[in-house]
Amino acid sequence: MAGRNEIFDKMYEHKHALIFVGGMATAIIGAKILKSQTTKDYAAKGMAKVLTCKSEIEESIQDIKDNAEDIHTDAKAAQKEAICVDVTKEDE
């Protein structure tokens, strides 16, 4: 146990150096991962899926807008028809 405590004490004394070394290791490993062809392939596939989803969502939104416009047009026509019917009944 005394050996472990001594190691942890030494590590605590040099924690800034360990943080620096850990940061450097992370940067090096991260750079290698980002430069790999596999990562580029996954990124391209992911972006393609995102763009496909965006396109499908835009189509769905356009369909909803078209349906809402149709409903609005039908409602206006029904309202005009109701007004015309009311006016003709009053004239009789």
Side-chain angles (χ1 to χ4, degrees), residues 22-75:
M24 291 295 292
T26 302
I28 291 169
I29 292 169
K32 289 192 181 275
I33 289 171
L34 290 175
K35 289 180 182 178
S36 75
Q37 188 61 39
T38 305
T39 303
K40 291 177 184 176
D41 291 343
Y42 282 124
K45 288 177 184 176
M47 186 56 71
K49 287 181 181 181
V50 167
L51 292 175
T52 301
C53 288
K54 178 184 177 235
S55 174
E56 291 173 359
I57 289 170
E58 286 175 345
E59 288 176 17
S60 296
I61 290 172
Q62 188 60 45
D63 289 344
I64 291 168
K65 285 181 181 179
D66 292 342
N67 290 337
E69 287 176 6
D70 291 344
I71 291 169
H72 184 256
T73 304
D74 292 344

